[in-house]
Amino acid sequence: MRWPDIIRMCLDSLRRRKGRTILTVLGVFIGCVSIIVMISIGAGMRESQDQMIANMGDVTIIEVYSGGEEAKLNDDAVESFRSIAGVSAVMPKKSLDYGAALKAGSAGRYYTDWASVVGIDTSALDDMGYTLAAGEYPQKGEVLVGEYFAYGFYDSLMPEGKNYVDRWVWDEEAQDYSADVPDPFFNPLTTPITMTLSGYDDASTALAETELKVAGIAKEDYGKGWETSSGIMMDIEDMRALMKKMDNTQSTKFEYSEVYVKANSIDEVLSAEQEIQNLGYSTYSMQSMREELQKQTRQIELMLGGLGAISLLVAAIGITNTMTMSVSERTKEIGIMKAIGCYVGDIRKLFLLEAGSIGLIGGILGLLFSLIVSVVINLFSFGAFGGGGITWELLKQALFGGEGVARLSVISLPLAVFALLFSLFVGLVSGYQPANKAVKIPALEAIRSE
């Protein structure tokens, strides 16, 4: 028999037994929906976790700390990190080991008695993913300040209590901090700033004084350091020269406080981090936290998927029962097919195709319904049914996600393909035994049957 003939006979058989076919397909449909929705909720948990971690910082950055005398963070260490496979950028950081007081404005009107100052490789700012709120990346002799750097200053001409700008303004009506941050006293990009350095033990004695030329204001990102919020970032070579001047020495020994290593992608973080640890250094990365959270999520997904699989198992039993009944009812038809010369393999193909069709149809309908359920769940989580209304943009986010969007239910392409193939597989496996039973029926006995 040709495949077109087998397919036509399969469809005719399913149409003749519409009621039984519909009920059997319904069983596969329910099982498929159960598996997809259950696993999609687990995937939604993973997406929410990734979103939470992304908000905490860049997940591709590895923070490296000294491993003791045998693993110091010096220039040799920085070069060894750059040679690691999967590493795209390396940024050494050095905290200034002196007290820093700042004055800004005419006659030093604005002041702060303490400031966080770090030295960084300013040439790697772009590669490391630093973003600017204003200005541009600094060159040698220039500095970058944190987004809220200017809010740490006091106005010496204002009375106590009114001599600073509080950017944390509580909104009583919204019961949250106001999104409208008031402007600081001055703009760091256009205001002259003087930094006075002193020892931590004797802050009253000035050891050095230097003018700061602010080239840009960094966007706050705690994943790249607290200094992106309120600190000062100068080029590591400028800091090296400043510290030599402060120490009154020509020593070239220089150890970093920490080193940031950026991997090419999330998938390469763990391997790069492991290699750094093998060199004897201590490390921390968001990926380590992400991996632990994903391990827990996978366990939940397996549990939810297992619950859904029970429904599909029941559907498999229904397919087996349907196909067994079909073989019993079509015994004479099978005998005639054998008598006119049909191959045994063709008969097996016919019954396997019927069983597989039931599984595939149930899987397709189950997938379509699961997509609808997933979209409804996500729209509900977005607050679309709370008066905001449903827009095309919300529908796209509910189905495909987006930047900064965390869905409760995520049906990925691999999950959709798996569901269809698994439904087809269940149908074929369930129909295998009835198909074998059909090919074993003797032709003469089958023709004589009523």
Side-chain angles (χ1 to χ4, degrees):
M1 292 177 64
R2 297 176 304 165
W3 270 108
D5 295 326
I6 295 176
I7 293 173
R8 180 177 53 79
M9 292 182 67
C10 167
L11 296 177
D12 287 342
S13 176
L14 294 177
R15 278 197 296 265
R16 285 200 306 268
R17 300 166 180 82
K18 288 181 182 177
R20 188 186 301 165
T21 300
I22 290 173
L23 291 175
T24 310
V25 167
L26 183 61
V28 179
F29 166 83
I30 293 173
C32 188
V33 170
S34 300
I35 287 182
I36 294 176
V37 172
M38 291 287 191
I39 295 179
S40 73
I41 291 174
M45 293 175 59
R46 189 190 304 120
E47 184 172 273
S48 297
Q49 290 168 356
D50 287 347
Q51 186 64 45
M52 176 190 70
I53 292 174
N55 290 337
M56 295 170 63
D58 191 340
V59 294
T60 62
I61 288 182
I62 305 166
E63 298 175 26
V64 185
Y65 303 95
S66 173
E69 290 297 321
E70 300 299 322
K72 294 182 178 180
L73 287 177
N74 49 29
D75 291 328
D76 292 337
V78 171
E79 290 305 315
S80 68
F81 299 155
R82 286 196 173 103
S83 64
I84 295 175
V87 170
S88 62
V90 177
M91 175 180 280
K93 299 178 71 173
K94 173 68 175 177
S95 297
L96 187 63
D97 298 327
Y98 295 91
L102 304 174
K103 289 185 178 181
S106 177
R109 173 177 176 174
Y110 308 109
Y111 71 94
T112 179
D113 295 329
W114 179 87
S116 171
V117 184
V118 298
I120 60 175
D121 182 0
T122 54
S123 65
L125 285 168
D126 192 25
D127 292 336
M128 292 297 295
Y130 280 73
T131 54
L132 297 177
E136 56 189 20
Y137 290 123
Q139 305 296 321
K140 293 290 191 294
E142 298 177 333
V143 300
L144 187 69
V145 298
E147 184 173 4
Y148 302 107
F149 165 77
Y151 289 92
F153 284 76
Y154 294 86
D155 187 345
S156 59
L157 301 183
M158 296 290 286
E160 190 73 26
K162 295 183 178 180
N163 60 344
Y164 67 95
V165 178
D166 187 1
R167 70 184 180 94
W168 298 106
V169 180
W170 182 259
D171 189 335
E172 288 291 346
E173 184 177 344
Q175 287 297 297
D176 197 0
Y177 288 104
S178 174
D180 298 324
V181 180
D183 293 329
F185 289 129
F186 65 93
N187 182 354
L189 295 175
T190 57
T191 305
I193 300 173
T194 302
M195 179 171 67
T196 302
L197 300 177
S198 62
Y200 278 119
D201 296 333
D202 185 10
S204 61
T205 303
L207 300 178
E209 190 172 275
T210 182
E211 299 295 323
L212 299 181
K213 183 180 180 182
V214 180
I217 300 175
K219 195 75 174 173
E220 183 182 57
D221 183 351
Y222 283 107
K224 295 180 176 64
W226 183 86
E227 62 274 4
T228 59
S229 176
S230 304
I232 300 170
M233 293 152 276
M234 65 170 54
D235 188 80
I236 198 74
E237 294 303 321
D238 292 339
M239 177 172 280
R240 193 192 298 263
L242 183 61
M243 292 182 70
K244 284 183 181 181
K245 180 181 177 181
M246 295 283 290
D247 294 337
N248 195 25
T249 177
Q250 296 301 314
S251 173
T252 56
K253 292 183 179 179
F254 197 82
E255 290 186 24
Y256 302 107
S257 307
E258 58 185 317
V259 176
Y260 279 14
V261 177
K262 185 176 178 65
N264 290 319
S265 65
I266 294 176
D267 298 331
E268 295 178 285
V269 170
L270 289 181
S271 61
E273 186 173 9
Q274 184 61 55
E275 193 163 344
I276 293 171
Q277 290 174 352
N278 292 340
L279 295 174
Y281 298 95
S282 300
T283 64
Y284 170 79
S285 70
M286 291 291 184
Q287 179 66 1
S288 301
M289 182 192 302
R290 180 174 179 264
E291 193 69 19
E292 188 61 34
L293 290 173
Q294 284 192 338
K295 187 186 298 182
Q296 298 175 7
T297 304
R298 280 193 293 268
Q299 294 173 350
I300 295 174
E301 282 183 297
L302 286 174
M303 181 184 69
L304 294 175
L307 292 173
I310 294 174
S311 300
L312 204 52
L313 176 62
V314 174
I317 296 173
I319 294 175
T320 302
N321 179 63
T322 296
M323 296 311 300
T324 301
M325 291 291 294
S326 179
V327 170
S328 300
E329 294 173 352
R330 296 159 65 187
T331 302
K332 190 168 185 177
E333 179 184 333
I334 294 169
I336 294 172
M337 290 170 64
K338 287 186 174 183
I340 62 176
C342 280
Y343 291 110
V344 169
D346 291 336
I347 297 174
R348 180 181 284 111
K349 288 176 186 177
L350 174 61
F351 284 94
L352 285 177
L353 184 60
E354 289 183 20
S357 298
I358 291 174
L360 184 60
I361 293 170
I364 292 173
L365 295 177
L367 174 59
L368 294 175
F369 186 76
S370 298
L371 288 171
I372 295 172
V373 171
S374 177
V375 168
V376 170
I377 291 174
N378 292 329
L379 287 175
F380 184 81
S381 70
F382 296 161
F385 300 112
I390 300 174
T391 63
W392 174 242
E393 188 62 31
L394 273 181
L395 282 173
K396 286 196 297 183
Q397 290 179 355
L399 193 56
F400 304 109
E403 186 70 26
V405 176
R407 294 169 289 172
L408 289 182
S409 174
V410 178
I411 300 178
S412 62
L413 180 60
L415 174 58
V417 173
F418 167 78
L420 292 178
L421 293 179
F422 191 59
S423 298
L424 176 61
F425 174 76
V426 166
L428 292 174
V429 171
S430 302
Y432 186 76
Q433 190 274 333
N436 274 347
K437 178 181 177 182
V439 300
K440 291 178 181 178
I441 298 175
L444 291 176
E445 180 183 332
I447 292 174
R448 288 198 300 265
S449 66
E450 294 295 332

